[in-house]
Amino acid sequence: MKKVVIVGCGGSGKSYVARELGRILDAPVTHLDAAFYDDEWNELPMEKFAALQRELVARPAWVIDGNYNSTLQIRLEACDTVVLMDVSTVAALYGIFSRQIRHGAGHKGNGVHNRIHWGVIKYVATYRRKMRPRVMAKIEEFASGRADVVLLSNRRQTRRWLRKVAAEHS
């Protein structure tokens, strides 16, 4: 496990898993929200964002968290492991609101990029029905059979899996 893609709904724990895996694997971590948005929430042009990801995945080891379905293929074709944070809608909604309470709004430099508005709530509330099938299809098309795919459906299972990975890499 040297090149890890972490995808899933907002509030599912992607950034936490990325930080932990980066520490365990001694690999650089990139939170795509930090690459895509500046401090004023301006978006990086998509062609530059895609080029940046091509540079990132050319490295010998990395952990990258974030969905960005339009550029997911770049990461999936280069990874050896895909982690899908497949939590329930209720857990993801809890995740975005509890993150807001814990960290407040804005960029925190550690993968926490909080900006809750109606669009974010709607995205999280409809992720399993609308976006998850698209993400699963891309995983099947670009990573299945070549990369290990790990589905983590709750926080307890996630902590257990991270302990297992840590034990294997100690």
Side-chain angles (χ1 to χ4, degrees), residues 5-122:
V5 170
I6 304 171
V7 292
C9 187
S12 64
K14 294 183 305 293
S15 294
Y16 167 76
V17 170
R19 285 189 302 273
E20 289 299 302
L21 278 180
R23 181 183 58 75
I24 293 165
L25 303 174
D26 194 28
V29 175
T30 301
H31 305 283
L32 288 181
D33 283 346
F36 189 66
Y37 294 107
D38 68 15
D39 289 343
E40 272 78 53
W41 296 101
N42 297 306
E43 299 175 358
L44 189 66
M46 198 51 71
E47 59 278 356
K48 288 184 180 181
F49 188 51
L52 171 65
Q53 289 179 67
R54 285 187 199 92
E55 290 174 23
L56 291 170
V57 301
R59 296 175 178 172
W62 44 265
V63 176
I64 300 175
D65 91 76
N67 282 326
Y68 297 92
N69 198 48
S70 63
T71 59
L72 181 56
Q73 179 179 347
I74 295 167
R75 289 167 274 140
L76 291 176
E77 289 179 337
C79 73
D80 60 35
T81 306
V82 179
V83 178
L84 174 59
M85 303 303 296
D86 201 25
V87 304
S88 70
T89 300
V90 170
L93 287 167
Y94 174 80
I96 64 169
F97 287 113
S98 66
R99 179 176 61 208
Q100 184 78 19
I101 291 167
R102 285 190 323 271
H103 299 288
H107 302 285
K108 304 301 177 191
N110 61 355
V112 177
H113 290 74
N114 277 342
R115 186 173 65 158
I116 295 180
H117 52 76
W118 178 244
V120 170
I121 295 168
K122 183 178 175 186

Side-chain angles (χ1 to χ4, degrees), residues 122-137:
K122 183 178 175 186
Y123 175 79
V124 171
T126 62
Y127 180 89
R128 289 189 67 78
R129 183 171 40 88
K130 290 184 175 180
M131 185 55 71
R132 183 183 183 277
R134 295 171 60 197
V135 170
M136 294 296 289

